Every structure is written in structure tokens, then in C-alpha cells.
Amino acid sequence: MNEELNSIRVTIFGRDYNIRGGSDEEYIRTLAGHVDKVMHDIADKAGAISSGRIAILAALNIADDMFKERQNFKELTDELAQKLEEPANLDPQPDDSK
């Protein structure tokens, strides 16, 4: 497994980072942009707190969103599985030939 790792330079909360990974460059930039936005949103609301604390709060917010989406996905897949297990509710056509 010799996967090529790309190095991508991104800016998050005013600091530059070189991110190495096998993912698409645009995808990495999208992720970094999301983290940057969440950090700026927190900084705007929280006022004067350290960037480390902002990063922790951003991580918690992003993790919360992820867990909620996972729960929503699980509920939807459980609902779909239940519907697929139910017998088809087909009304038999009345036999009018009698």
C-alpha cells in the first residue's frame, strides 16, 4: 500500500498549517474552512479567550454535530430496515368474476 500523500497548506484561525493526507485537495480545504469558520464563530461569541480554548470548543461543537448526524442516520436506517421487514400491505384485487 503505497498511497501518495499530498501536502496542502491551509489557514485556520490565522495560522498556516501543512496538512498531509491522501484526500482530495479541495476536500481538505473544505474541512479546514469549516474548522476556521467554527473557530471564528466561537471567538465572535465568546470574546477574549485563548486560541487553544477556542480550538477545544470548536472541536466539541464539531463532534456534537457529528454525533447528532450519526444518531439521525441510525434512526433513519433503523426506520428503513423496519419498513423493509414489514410485509407488503397490498390489497388483493377483488375477484368480480364470481
Side-chain angles (χ1 to χ4, degrees), residues 2 6 10 33 35 42 51 74:
N2 194 7
N6 300 324
V10 297
V35 172
I42 290 169
S51 61
K74 182 184 180 318

Side-chain angles (χ1 to χ4, degrees), residues 16-59:
D16 291 335
Y17 297 91
N18 285 319
I19 308 296
R20 294 184 63 178
S23 297
D24 177 90
E25 180 176 339
E26 189 60 33
Y27 179 70
I28 298 293
R29 290 191 188 287
T30 299
L31 292 177
H34 179 66
V35 172
D36 183 63
K37 181 186 180 319
V38 171
M39 289 183 72
H40 279 285
D41 289 348
I42 290 169
D44 291 344
K45 292 175 187 169
I49 61 174
S50 72
S51 61
R53 192 167 186 152
I54 290 170
I56 295 298
L57 292 172

